[in-house]
Amino acid sequence: MNDTLDEDALHAAVDLVGRSGATGFELGHLHENVPVEEAGWYAHAQYRGARITVEDKTGPVEAAEALARRILNGAHCTHCGKTVSMNGFSKSRCRWTREGRRWTRACESKR
């Protein structure tokens, strides 16, 4: 694991969880006194009666980023109504990408 923390990726993931309507966010690890990459990092977002979780990641950024991707992929863009895609371009999907400290949608640039 890289010793530098990608603060932009972490900030973008936390921002996305908040923008998605989550009522809570938790980032943590399961194992103490082990190397960071063996700590079993997890992240979860709490929604009304539901929780989205990713587990067993190698670091806090990897857990937060995996959660952001899980929330986004296959969701419906609240702005254009299309299904969100994170791979390639398609007229029937709204492609989201991370730009620095924020996830942005393709339909945002078409205004």
Side-chain angles (χ1 to χ4, degrees):
M1 187 179 131
N2 190 341
D3 288 336
T4 44
L5 184 71
D6 185 346
E7 291 182 29
D8 285 352
L10 187 58
H11 186 275
V14 173
D15 177 64
L16 178 77
V17 170
R19 289 168 50 199
S20 72
T23 58
F25 171 78
E26 184 173 324
L27 178 65
H29 57 86
L30 300 174
H31 311 293
E32 297 287 337
N33 302 318
V34 297
V36 171
E37 61 274 6
E38 296 175 18
W41 288 89
Y42 67 88
H44 72 248
Q46 183 71 40
Y47 297 88
R48 287 180 247 144
R51 178 182 288 184
I52 296 177
T53 303
V54 295
E55 300 173 326
D56 203 25
K57 301 300 175 191
T58 59
V61 173
E62 291 81 2
E65 178 99 346
L67 179 63
R69 290 180 178 280
R70 185 160 181 206
I71 289 170
L72 275 177
N73 205 26
H76 290 279
C77 179
T78 58
H79 301 276
C80 68
K82 294 179 181 177
T83 301
V84 172
S85 171
M86 301 174 82
N87 303 319
F89 290 98
S90 168
K91 290 183 181 182
S92 64
R93 297 185 179 261
C94 184
R95 182 165 165 36
W96 284 58
T97 55
R98 185 173 68 82
E99 296 178 5
R101 299 180 73 121
R102 189 165 172 91
W103 283 91
T104 60
R105 61 190 191 276
C107 65
E108 195 168 32
S109 61
K110 294 180 181 177
R111 287 198 224 162

